[in-house]
Amino acid sequence: MSWLERLTGGFKKTADRVGENLTGLTSKAALDTATLDDIEEALIASDLGPEASKRIRDAIAARKFEQLDERGLRTILAEEIEKILAPVAKPLDIYGFPRPHVILVIGVNGSGKTTTIGKVGHLLQEQDYGVLLAAGDTFRAAAIEQLQIWGERIGAPVIAGKEGSDAAGLVWDGVKQATAQGIDVLIVDTAGRLQNKSHLMEELSKVRRVLGKLNEEAPHDVILVLDATTGQNALNQIEVFKESAGVTGLVMTKLDGTARGGVLVAAAERFGLPIHAIGVGEGVDDLRPFDPRAVARAIAGLPPA
């Protein structure tokens, strides 16, 4: 399947849910206040969040339709979702100099963080950047091993220590190695213990201090990986990690057809953080830059433009 076909499939559950929640709302004689309220509630129930749902409801009301069929409603829905998503669609920009450009990747265990690092590394390699991966989640031997597997898979070197070793020291070594070898990008995996915010903040602060001694602009990006199947819980994760880790951008993964992808819209409206990429499968090519129009049409249940 093409990327757009996979993307549409990835948002199938969301599109079906939107369709089910909107069923019958366009059959009334006029879009009165009660109908508009029903549309707003239907969008909230589809995980788009209260802020975005109200914005879309107001946009529909402002157009002063006497009557609107389902296709027309889906078209307007896609247009308004795209307006929310377009400002946050920002591909990763590798600007850090002197090299390496340092990317910290954070997220709760099970979010697809380590897999996403491998895919982001591959995406950057396609743009002719040299990539070094650092296994900074030193608390889990499985995370270290998984990153090494991904390094072999995409042909990128991996710097790793023993389980329980000092993550900040590993990052120091990673920057030194990348500098010595002329590598463009250092992507650092980090521990994902959301339940202990103070420990997480302390550890990430230590990593930041070490990086600052080598390059005062590093880390250049702090990317939060979100699991699309968690729905509204993803918003709670953004709130916590934004406060404790200084998140600069998002990647949404596991958009595999069972996901609650409407949360992308809620996240964009509430936080306005850049969304760099989305993942629709397990393959190395299944993570691509975020396309707001394609995503908006997929959520609205419309074919790709």
Side-chain angles (χ1 to χ4, degrees):
M1 290 191 294
S2 70
W3 166 253
L4 284 177
E5 288 171 334
R6 282 181 286 167
L7 179 70
T8 301
F11 281 94
K12 185 179 187 308
K13 181 176 180 179
T14 302
D16 289 348
R17 193 171 185 183
V18 169
E20 290 168 6
N21 290 331
L22 292 177
T23 296
L25 296 185
T26 56
S27 61
K28 299 180 181 180
L31 286 179
D32 55 19
T33 299
T35 304
L36 289 167
D37 288 344
D38 287 342
I39 290 173
E40 182 178 351
E41 290 175 11
L43 296 178
I44 292 173
S46 304
D47 289 313
L48 273 70
E51 298 95 339
S53 298
K54 183 179 186 306
R55 175 171 166 174
I56 293 169
R57 177 226 193 260
D58 292 345
I60 294 172
R63 299 193 187 201
K64 302 186 186 307
F65 290 100
E66 287 298 322
Q67 191 170 3
L68 193 63
D69 61 19
E70 183 177 339
R71 174 77 181 190
L73 180 56
R74 286 181 182 270
T75 300
I76 294 171
L77 181 59
E79 290 171 358
E80 295 303 324
I81 290 175
E82 184 181 351
K83 289 178 185 177
I84 294 171
L85 296 179
V88 301
K90 297 177 182 177
L92 270 173
D93 180 20
I94 306 304
Y95 62 87
F97 192 83
R99 297 296 201 221
H101 182 105
V102 181
I103 301 172
L104 293 186
V105 181
I106 62 179
V108 298
N109 294 333
S111 65
K113 178 166 53 76
T114 307
T115 298
T116 296
I117 289 171
K119 293 178 183 178
V120 168
H122 175 66
L123 193 63
L124 294 175
Q125 287 173 327
E126 289 184 323
Q127 301 169 45
D128 293 326
Y129 291 114
V131 174
L132 171 65
L133 309 181
D137 185 354
T138 60
F139 290 86
R140 294 188 305 133
I144 298 171
E145 182 181 352
Q146 187 183 11
L147 194 67
Q148 290 171 327
I149 291 171
W150 268 102
E152 292 176 7
R153 189 173 182 184
I154 67 173
V158 178
I159 184 167
K162 295 180 180 179
E163 182 180 1
S165 59
D166 180 51
L170 185 76
V171 171
W172 174 280
D173 292 340
V175 174
K176 289 291 189 179
Q177 180 175 323
T179 301
Q181 297 178 358
I183 292 174
D184 298 297
V185 186
L186 173 65
I187 308 178
V188 183
D189 194 5
T190 63
R193 297 179 311 285
L194 185 62
Q195 65 273 22
N196 190 338
K197 288 192 291 183
S198 60
H199 191 99
L200 175 69
M201 191 182 304
E202 180 183 329
E203 182 175 294
L204 289 172
S205 294
K206 185 177 179 182
V207 170
R208 283 177 175 277
R209 286 196 302 272
V210 165
L211 286 170
K213 293 177 181 177
L214 297 167
N215 184 337
E216 61 182 18
E217 293 186 4
H220 303 87
D221 292 286
V222 180
I223 296 176
L224 174 61
V225 176
L226 297 167
D227 178 348
T229 66
T230 63
Q232 294 296 305
N233 187 47
L235 301 179
N236 298 332
Q237 292 176 28
I238 296 173
E239 192 79 59
V240 171
F241 279 109
K242 189 168 179 283
E243 173 193 341
S244 63
V247 175
T248 62
L250 308 173
V251 170
M252 181 74 77
T253 188
K254 300 188 182 181
L255 287 160
D256 59 359
T258 62
R260 297 162 66 182
V263 73
L264 264 176
V265 183
E269 179 72 9
R270 183 182 301 184
F271 298 102
L273 286 166
I275 300 175
H276 298 305
I278 56 174
V280 298
E282 292 300 317
V284 69
D285 293 315
D286 288 337
L287 185 97
R288 294 284 122 185
F290 180 60
D291 182 337
R293 173 163 294 181
V295 169
R297 292 184 67 84
I299 290 174
L302 296 175

